[in-house]
Amino acid sequence: MAKKKKGEDKEMGKVAIYPGSFDPITYGHIDIIERALEIFDKVIIAIAENAEKRALFSVEERLGMIKNVFKDTPNVIVDSFKGLLVEYVSKTNAKVILRGLRATSDFEYEFHMASMNRSLNTHLDTLFMMTSKDYFFVSSRTIKEVAKLGGGVEGLVPDHVVRRLKEKFKLPVSKKKQIGWDD
Ligand code: ADP
């Protein structure tokens, strides 16, 4: 049996880090987190602060929206980090990076990132979870594109995120736009 490192004890349990932009959080992300909680004792959601990627929501806004989703789930921690993911992970007691896969198009990038992270830290593994059939088409990017044009994203992101999107795009919060054959 591997010798325990200093500071590593039973109470810490199995911890996974779920990194991403979460701009904003969607039910696709939430589904992955809920399923991961069946496997891990704790999931740390880590918002990557990427200066090159222009985000719609500030890191503080994204932290707030995610914390709101998991306010009653003490084994979900919400945090943000700058720089290399492996360096951030090494400051925690996580051994696993969690990622979601939606399509084959996700695979190539994810395969390269997982291989690179493992070459930077051989103790780290990446665990991939397949998207659920209800959310395979959901990405933060498409949510923003649809919401910006006034399309309904209810059911794909939590209600408080729907409101924040409407505020960002200066759309009426109460008026629900329905798109149908009669329009
Ligand atoms: P997005 O591509 O939605 O902007 P993020 O950078 O926030 O995603 O993604 C964080 C992680 O969540 C990635 O591993 C991504 O593949 C995964 N993910 C995002 N949306 C979904 C979804 N609908 N189903 C499963 N995994 C997802």
Side-chain angles (χ1 to χ4, degrees):
M1 218 175 95
K3 221 176 144 193
K4 274 187 187 156
K5 274 195 239 156
K6 203 175 166 216
E8 209 177 36
D9 57 38
K10 271 194 206 129
E11 282 110 317
M12 287 174 174
K14 289 194 219 94
V15 184
I17 300 257
Y18 185 35
S21 310
F22 305 102
D23 184 40
I25 187 153
T26 70
Y27 277 127
H29 297 126
I30 295 168
D31 173 65
I32 295 284
I33 296 157
E34 285 175 346
R35 285 157 59 201
L37 288 171
E38 303 282 324
I39 306 168
F40 297 95
D41 299 302
K42 189 160 103 181
V43 173
I44 302 172
I45 304 173
I47 302 172
E49 291 189 42
N50 188 341
E52 280 157 43
K53 225 172 156 183
R54 264 197 65 199
L56 175 66
F57 292 100
S58 69
V59 172
E60 287 68 33
E61 287 173 317
R62 284 178 269 164
L63 277 166
M65 283 186 279
I66 304 174
K67 281 185 180 165
N68 190 339
V69 175
F70 295 102
K71 56 180 183 293
D72 299 320
T73 316
N75 47 347
V76 171
I77 310 289
V78 193
D79 196 11
S80 64
F81 71 98
K82 281 188 188 139
L84 276 180
L85 174 63
V86 289
E87 274 173 21
Y88 172 75
V89 178
S90 68
K91 292 181 199 140
T92 72
N93 54 329
K95 300 272 178 299
V96 170
I97 296 169
L98 180 66
R99 297 287 288 174
L101 284 180
R102 281 159 294 191
T104 44
S105 50
D106 278 344
F107 177 80
E108 195 159 340
Y109 171 76
E110 293 293 345
F111 177 58
H112 288 156
M113 277 315 291
S115 308
M116 177 57 87
N117 284 333
R118 198 158 165 81
S119 103
L120 292 169
N121 180 346
T122 50
H123 301 292
L124 261 184
D125 238 311
T126 304
L127 179 83
F128 294 100
M129 293 184 84
M130 290 294 166
T131 182
S132 102
K133 65 171 175 35
D134 300 325
Y135 305 119
F136 72 91
F137 59 94
V138 176
S139 71
S140 300
R141 187 177 158 186
T142 49
I143 290 289
K144 285 181 281 191
E145 283 171 3
V146 170
K148 191 175 182 179
L149 298 172
V153 289
E154 288 82 1
L156 303 177
V157 295
D159 290 347
H160 67 277
V161 176
V162 173
R163 283 196 297 276
R164 300 308 302 272
L165 282 162
K166 286 182 177 171
E167 283 162 17
K168 274 279 174 204
F169 294 126
K170 302 198 173 15
L171 294 163
V173 172
S174 53
K175 211 176 130 212
K176 201 171 157 188
K177 178 145 184 166
Q178 299 283 354
I179 301 168
W181 295 111
D182 301 332
D183 287 343

PDB file of all heavy atoms in Angstrom, residues 117-141:
ATOM      1  N   ASN A 117      -1.255  17.016 -19.356  1.00  0.00           N
ATOM      2  CA  ASN A 117      -1.323  17.144 -17.893  1.00  0.00           C
ATOM      3  C   ASN A 117      -0.652  15.959 -17.207  1.00  0.00           C
ATOM      4  O   ASN A 117       0.004  16.117 -16.181  1.00  0.00           O
ATOM      5  CB  ASN A 117      -2.776  17.295 -17.426  1.00  0.00           C
ATOM      6  CG  ASN A 117      -3.295  18.694 -17.704  1.00  0.00           C
ATOM      7  OD1 ASN A 117      -2.534  19.654 -17.760  1.00  0.00           O
ATOM      8  ND2 ASN A 117      -4.590  18.809 -17.912  1.00  0.00           N
ATOM      9  N   ARG A 118      -0.785  14.787 -17.807  1.00  0.00           N
ATOM     10  CA  ARG A 118      -0.162  13.605 -17.204  1.00  0.00           C
ATOM     11  C   ARG A 118       1.356  13.649 -17.375  1.00  0.00           C
ATOM     12  O   ARG A 118       2.106  13.179 -16.519  1.00  0.00           O
ATOM     13  CB  ARG A 118      -0.749  12.320 -17.815  1.00  0.00           C
ATOM     14  CG  ARG A 118      -0.467  11.144 -16.935  1.00  0.00           C
ATOM     15  CD  ARG A 118      -1.404   9.994 -17.144  1.00  0.00           C
ATOM     16  NE  ARG A 118      -0.839   8.808 -16.534  1.00  0.00           N
ATOM     17  CZ  ARG A 118      -0.916   8.533 -15.245  1.00  0.00           C
ATOM     18  NH1 ARG A 118      -1.569   9.333 -14.433  1.00  0.00           N
ATOM     19  NH2 ARG A 118      -0.361   7.459 -14.756  1.00  0.00           N
ATOM     20  N   SER A 119       1.798  14.263 -18.470  1.00  0.00           N
ATOM     21  CA  SER A 119       3.254  14.367 -18.633  1.00  0.00           C
ATOM     22  C   SER A 119       3.817  15.420 -17.667  1.00  0.00           C
ATOM     23  O   SER A 119       4.951  15.322 -17.226  1.00  0.00           O
ATOM     24  CB  SER A 119       3.611  14.628 -20.096  1.00  0.00           C
ATOM     25  OG  SER A 119       3.952  15.954 -20.300  1.00  0.00           O
ATOM     26  N   LEU A 120       3.000  16.415 -17.312  1.00  0.00           N
ATOM     27  CA  LEU A 120       3.447  17.432 -16.346  1.00  0.00           C
ATOM     28  C   LEU A 120       3.393  16.899 -14.914  1.00  0.00           C
ATOM     29  O   LEU A 120       4.170  17.320 -14.059  1.00  0.00           O
ATOM     30  CB  LEU A 120       2.564  18.689 -16.449  1.00  0.00           C
ATOM     31  CG  LEU A 120       2.693  19.508 -17.740  1.00  0.00           C
ATOM     32  CD1 LEU A 120       1.584  20.544 -17.820  1.00  0.00           C
ATOM     33  CD2 LEU A 120       4.044  20.195 -17.829  1.00  0.00           C
ATOM     34  N   ASN A 121       2.431  16.014 -14.649  1.00  0.00           N
ATOM     35  CA  ASN A 121       2.301  15.422 -13.309  1.00  0.00           C
ATOM     36  C   ASN A 121       1.817  13.987 -13.455  1.00  0.00           C
ATOM     37  O   ASN A 121       0.639  13.746 -13.710  1.00  0.00           O
ATOM     38  CB  ASN A 121       1.314  16.252 -12.459  1.00  0.00           C
ATOM     39  CG  ASN A 121       1.149  15.682 -11.066  1.00  0.00           C
ATOM     40  OD1 ASN A 121       1.543  14.543 -10.786  1.00  0.00           O
ATOM     41  ND2 ASN A 121       0.564  16.466 -10.186  1.00  0.00           N
ATOM     42  N   THR A 122       2.742  13.038 -13.285  1.00  0.00           N
ATOM     43  CA  THR A 122       2.410  11.630 -13.535  1.00  0.00           C
ATOM     44  C   THR A 122       1.459  11.039 -12.492  1.00  0.00           C
ATOM     45  O   THR A 122       0.935   9.946 -12.676  1.00  0.00           O
ATOM     46  CB  THR A 122       3.689  10.761 -13.581  1.00  0.00           C
ATOM     47  OG1 THR A 122       4.452  11.081 -12.421  1.00  0.00           O
ATOM     48  CG2 THR A 122       4.505  11.007 -14.822  1.00  0.00           C
ATOM     49  N   HIS A 123       1.224  11.766 -11.390  1.00  0.00           N
ATOM     50  CA  HIS A 123       0.307  11.246 -10.368  1.00  0.00           C
ATOM     51  C   HIS A 123      -1.146  11.609 -10.663  1.00  0.00           C
ATOM     52  O   HIS A 123      -2.051  11.188  -9.959  1.00  0.00           O
ATOM     53  CB  HIS A 123       0.679  11.788  -8.985  1.00  0.00           C
ATOM     54  CG  HIS A 123       2.069  11.426  -8.592  1.00  0.00           C
ATOM     55  ND1 HIS A 123       2.441  10.137  -8.333  1.00  0.00           N
ATOM     56  CD2 HIS A 123       3.181  12.185  -8.448  1.00  0.00           C
ATOM     57  CE1 HIS A 123       3.724  10.105  -8.033  1.00  0.00           C
ATOM     58  NE2 HIS A 123       4.201  11.335  -8.102  1.00  0.00           N
ATOM     59  N   LEU A 124      -1.317  12.430 -11.689  1.00  0.00           N
ATOM     60  CA  LEU A 124      -2.671  12.914 -11.989  1.00  0.00           C
ATOM     61  C   LEU A 124      -3.327  12.125 -13.107  1.00  0.00           C
ATOM     62  O   LEU A 124      -2.687  11.820 -14.099  1.00  0.00           O
ATOM     63  CB  LEU A 124      -2.578  14.359 -12.477  1.00  0.00           C
ATOM     64  CG  LEU A 124      -2.855  15.476 -11.510  1.00  0.00           C
ATOM     65  CD1 LEU A 124      -2.790  16.790 -12.256  1.00  0.00           C
ATOM     66  CD2 LEU A 124      -4.208  15.312 -10.855  1.00  0.00           C
ATOM     67  N   ASP A 125      -4.595  11.827 -12.934  1.00  0.00           N
ATOM     68  CA  ASP A 125      -5.323  11.169 -13.998  1.00  0.00           C
ATOM     69  C   ASP A 125      -6.520  12.013 -14.392  1.00  0.00           C
ATOM     70  O   ASP A 125      -7.039  12.775 -13.577  1.00  0.00           O
ATOM     71  CB  ASP A 125      -5.825   9.796 -13.517  1.00  0.00           C
ATOM     72  CG  ASP A 125      -5.290   8.703 -14.423  1.00  0.00           C
ATOM     73  OD1 ASP A 125      -5.427   8.878 -15.647  1.00  0.00           O
ATOM     74  OD2 ASP A 125      -4.726   7.717 -13.906  1.00  0.00           O
ATOM     75  N   THR A 126      -6.963  11.869 -15.648  1.00  0.00           N
ATOM     76  CA  THR A 126      -8.173  12.574 -16.078  1.00  0.00           C
ATOM     77  C   THR A 126      -9.280  11.543 -16.277  1.00  0.00           C
ATOM     78  O   THR A 126      -9.061  10.518 -16.919  1.00  0.00           O
ATOM     79  CB  THR A 126      -7.923  13.348 -17.396  1.00  0.00           C
ATOM     80  OG1 THR A 126      -6.824  14.234 -17.207  1.00  0.00           O
ATOM     81  CG2 THR A 126      -9.140  14.151 -17.799  1.00  0.00           C
ATOM     82  N   LEU A 127     -10.423  11.834 -15.690  1.00  0.00           N
ATOM     83  CA  LEU A 127     -11.569  10.941 -15.825  1.00  0.00           C
ATOM     84  C   LEU A 127     -12.606  11.621 -16.726  1.00  0.00           C
ATOM     85  O   LEU A 127     -12.977  12.769 -16.488  1.00  0.00           O
ATOM     86  CB  LEU A 127     -12.190  10.671 -14.450  1.00  0.00           C
ATOM     87  CG  LEU A 127     -13.409   9.762 -14.469  1.00  0.00           C
ATOM     88  CD1 LEU A 127     -12.998   8.305 -14.489  1.00  0.00           C
ATOM     89  CD2 LEU A 127     -14.291  10.012 -13.265  1.00  0.00           C
ATOM     90  N   PHE A 128     -13.036  10.901 -17.765  1.00  0.00           N
ATOM     91  CA  PHE A 128     -14.026  11.465 -18.682  1.00  0.00           C
ATOM     92  C   PHE A 128     -15.391  10.855 -18.429  1.00  0.00           C
ATOM     93  O   PHE A 128     -15.518   9.642 -18.286  1.00  0.00           O
ATOM     94  CB  PHE A 128     -13.622  11.189 -20.135  1.00  0.00           C
ATOM     95  CG  PHE A 128     -12.368  11.909 -20.518  1.00  0.00           C
ATOM     96  CD1 PHE A 128     -11.154  11.254 -20.548  1.00  0.00           C
ATOM     97  CD2 PHE A 128     -12.414  13.265 -20.819  1.00  0.00           C
ATOM     98  CE1 PHE A 128      -9.983  11.937 -20.879  1.00  0.00           C
ATOM     99  CE2 PHE A 128     -11.255  13.955 -21.144  1.00  0.00           C
ATOM    100  CZ  PHE A 128     -10.046  13.286 -21.177  1.00  0.00           C
ATOM    101  N   MET A 129     -16.383  11.724 -18.401  1.00  0.00           N
ATOM    102  CA  MET A 129     -17.752  11.227 -18.283  1.00  0.00           C
ATOM    103  C   MET A 129     -18.519  11.652 -19.526  1.00  0.00           C
ATOM    104  O   MET A 129     -18.406  12.792 -19.970  1.00  0.00           O
ATOM    105  CB  MET A 129     -18.420  11.798 -17.028  1.00  0.00           C
ATOM    106  CG  MET A 129     -17.784  11.267 -15.765  1.00  0.00           C
ATOM    107  SD  MET A 129     -18.625  11.842 -14.289  1.00  0.00           S
ATOM    108  CE  MET A 129     -19.932  10.657 -14.205  1.00  0.00           C
ATOM    109  N   MET A 130     -19.269  10.702 -20.073  1.00  0.00           N
ATOM    110  CA  MET A 130     -20.065  11.002 -21.267  1.00  0.00           C
ATOM    111  C   MET A 130     -21.238  11.898 -20.883  1.00  0.00           C
ATOM    112  O   MET A 130     -21.867  11.688 -19.847  1.00  0.00           O
ATOM    113  CB  MET A 130     -20.637   9.715 -21.865  1.00  0.00           C
ATOM    114  CG  MET A 130     -19.602   8.849 -22.496  1.00  0.00           C
ATOM    115  SD  MET A 130     -18.915   9.682 -23.927  1.00  0.00           S
ATOM    116  CE  MET A 130     -17.487   8.649 -24.164  1.00  0.00           C
ATOM    117  N   THR A 131     -21.524  12.848 -21.740  1.00  0.00           N
ATOM    118  CA  THR A 131     -22.682  13.708 -21.549  1.00  0.00           C
ATOM    119  C   THR A 131     -23.960  12.863 -21.486  1.00  0.00           C
ATOM    120  O   THR A 131     -23.997  11.760 -22.017  1.00  0.00           O
ATOM    121  CB  THR A 131     -22.775  14.705 -22.723  1.00  0.00           C
ATOM    122  OG1 THR A 131     -23.877  15.564 -22.515  1.00  0.00           O
ATOM    123  CG2 THR A 131     -22.939  14.013 -24.063  1.00  0.00           C
ATOM    124  N   SER A 132     -24.982  13.415 -20.880  1.00  0.00           N
ATOM    125  CA  SER A 132     -26.244  12.674 -20.869  1.00  0.00           C
ATOM    126  C   SER A 132     -26.989  12.996 -22.170  1.00  0.00           C
ATOM    127  O   SER A 132     -26.749  14.035 -22.798  1.00  0.00           O
ATOM    128  CB  SER A 132     -27.059  13.050 -19.642  1.00  0.00           C
ATOM    129  OG  SER A 132     -28.064  13.946 -19.996  1.00  0.00           O
ATOM    130  N   LYS A 133     -27.904  12.136 -22.571  1.00  0.00           N
ATOM    131  CA  LYS A 133     -28.621  12.329 -23.849  1.00  0.00           C
ATOM    132  C   LYS A 133     -29.406  13.646 -23.869  1.00  0.00           C
ATOM    133  O   LYS A 133     -29.685  14.186 -24.925  1.00  0.00           O
ATOM    134  CB  LYS A 133     -29.534  11.142 -24.140  1.00  0.00           C
ATOM    135  CG  LYS A 133     -30.656  10.986 -23.143  1.00  0.00           C
ATOM    136  CD  LYS A 133     -31.659   9.938 -23.594  1.00  0.00           C
ATOM    137  CE  LYS A 133     -32.736   9.665 -22.575  1.00  0.00           C
ATOM    138  NZ  LYS A 133     -33.221  10.765 -21.770  1.00  0.00           N
ATOM    139  N   ASP A 134     -29.744  14.158 -22.696  1.00  0.00           N
ATOM    140  CA  ASP A 134     -30.521  15.407 -22.641  1.00  0.00           C
ATOM    141  C   ASP A 134     -29.671  16.652 -22.872  1.00  0.00           C
ATOM    142  O   ASP A 134     -30.204  17.720 -23.144  1.00  0.00           O
ATOM    143  CB  ASP A 134     -31.202  15.533 -21.270  1.00  0.00           C
ATOM    144  CG  ASP A 134     -32.145  14.389 -21.004  1.00  0.00           C
ATOM    145  OD1 ASP A 134     -32.776  13.935 -21.981  1.00  0.00           O
ATOM    146  OD2 ASP A 134     -32.229  13.922 -19.851  1.00  0.00           O
ATOM    147  N   TYR A 135     -28.359  16.527 -22.718  1.00  0.00           N
ATOM    148  CA  TYR A 135     -27.524  17.735 -22.762  1.00  0.00           C
ATOM    149  C   TYR A 135     -26.358  17.661 -23.737  1.00  0.00           C
ATOM    150  O   TYR A 135     -25.483  18.514 -23.700  1.00  0.00           O
ATOM    151  CB  TYR A 135     -26.989  18.037 -21.345  1.00  0.00           C
ATOM    152  CG  TYR A 135     -28.076  18.163 -20.322  1.00  0.00           C
ATOM    153  CD1 TYR A 135     -28.143  17.311 -19.227  1.00  0.00           C
ATOM    154  CD2 TYR A 135     -29.063  19.133 -20.473  1.00  0.00           C
ATOM    155  CE1 TYR A 135     -29.170  17.417 -18.299  1.00  0.00           C
ATOM    156  CE2 TYR A 135     -30.098  19.245 -19.555  1.00  0.00           C
ATOM    157  CZ  TYR A 135     -30.142  18.378 -18.462  1.00  0.00           C
ATOM    158  OH  TYR A 135     -31.156  18.488 -17.564  1.00  0.00           O
ATOM    159  N   PHE A 136     -26.331  16.673 -24.619  1.00  0.00           N
ATOM    160  CA  PHE A 136     -25.170  16.518 -25.508  1.00  0.00           C
ATOM    161  C   PHE A 136     -24.978  17.724 -26.427  1.00  0.00           C
ATOM    162  O   PHE A 136     -23.887  17.990 -26.892  1.00  0.00           O
ATOM    163  CB  PHE A 136     -25.266  15.206 -26.317  1.00  0.00           C
ATOM    164  CG  PHE A 136     -26.319  15.242 -27.395  1.00  0.00           C
ATOM    165  CD1 PHE A 136     -26.007  15.657 -28.677  1.00  0.00           C
ATOM    166  CD2 PHE A 136     -27.623  14.863 -27.112  1.00  0.00           C
ATOM    167  CE1 PHE A 136     -26.989  15.702 -29.663  1.00  0.00           C
ATOM    168  CE2 PHE A 136     -28.605  14.905 -28.088  1.00  0.00           C
ATOM    169  CZ  PHE A 136     -28.291  15.329 -29.361  1.00  0.00           C
ATOM    170  N   PHE A 137     -26.068  18.479 -26.672  1.00  0.00           N
ATOM    171  CA  PHE A 137     -26.000  19.626 -27.595  1.00  0.00           C
ATOM    172  C   PHE A 137     -25.807  20.945 -26.838  1.00  0.00           C
ATOM    173  O   PHE A 137     -25.811  22.013 -27.434  1.00  0.00           O
ATOM    174  CB  PHE A 137     -27.295  19.684 -28.424  1.00  0.00           C
ATOM    175  CG  PHE A 137     -28.518  19.809 -27.555  1.00  0.00           C
ATOM    176  CD1 PHE A 137     -29.054  21.055 -27.270  1.00  0.00           C
ATOM    177  CD2 PHE A 137     -29.111  18.676 -26.980  1.00  0.00           C
ATOM    178  CE1 PHE A 137     -30.157  21.177 -26.448  1.00  0.00           C
ATOM    179  CE2 PHE A 137     -30.217  18.796 -26.171  1.00  0.00           C
ATOM    180  CZ  PHE A 137     -30.736  20.051 -25.897  1.00  0.00           C
ATOM    181  N   VAL A 138     -25.659  20.869 -25.520  1.00  0.00           N
ATOM    182  CA  VAL A 138     -25.585  22.092 -24.705  1.00  0.00           C
ATOM    183  C   VAL A 138     -24.127  22.483 -24.449  1.00  0.00           C
ATOM    184  O   VAL A 138     -23.354  21.698 -23.917  1.00  0.00           O
ATOM    185  CB  VAL A 138     -26.297  21.877 -23.338  1.00  0.00           C
ATOM    186  CG1 VAL A 138     -26.147  23.110 -22.453  1.00  0.00           C
ATOM    187  CG2 VAL A 138     -27.761  21.532 -23.548  1.00  0.00           C
ATOM    188  N   SER A 139     -23.783  23.690 -24.857  1.00  0.00           N
ATOM    189  CA  SER A 139     -22.476  24.244 -24.484  1.00  0.00           C
ATOM    190  C   SER A 139     -22.720  25.682 -24.049  1.00  0.00           C
ATOM    191  O   SER A 139     -23.697  26.308 -24.482  1.00  0.00           O
ATOM    192  CB  SER A 139     -21.497  24.202 -25.663  1.00  0.00           C
ATOM    193  OG  SER A 139     -21.875  25.149 -26.631  1.00  0.00           O
ATOM    194  N   SER A 140     -21.846  26.206 -23.218  1.00  0.00           N
ATOM    195  CA  SER A 140     -22.007  27.596 -22.766  1.00  0.00           C
ATOM    196  C   SER A 140     -22.050  28.524 -23.978  1.00  0.00           C
ATOM    197  O   SER A 140     -22.794  29.498 -24.005  1.00  0.00           O
ATOM    198  CB  SER A 140     -20.846  27.992 -21.859  1.00  0.00           C
ATOM    199  OG  SER A 140     -20.812  27.159 -20.735  1.00  0.00           O
ATOM    200  N   ARG A 141     -21.252  28.190 -24.985  1.00  0.00           N
ATOM    201  CA  ARG A 141     -21.184  29.035 -26.174  1.00  0.00           C
ATOM    202  C   ARG A 141     -22.529  29.101 -26.910  1.00  0.00           C
ATOM    203  O   ARG A 141     -23.006  30.192 -27.239  1.00  0.00           O
ATOM    204  CB  ARG A 141     -20.095  28.484 -27.093  1.00  0.00           C
ATOM    205  CG  ARG A 141     -19.830  29.372 -28.256  1.00  0.00           C
ATOM    206  CD  ARG A 141     -18.702  28.822 -29.081  1.00  0.00           C
ATOM    207  NE  ARG A 141     -18.799  29.366 -30.425  1.00  0.00           N
ATOM    208  CZ  ARG A 141     -18.040  28.992 -31.415  1.00  0.00           C
ATOM    209  NH1 ARG A 141     -17.133  28.063 -31.223  1.00  0.00           N
ATOM    210  NH2 ARG A 141     -18.169  29.536 -32.591  1.00  0.00           N
TER     211      ARG A 141
END
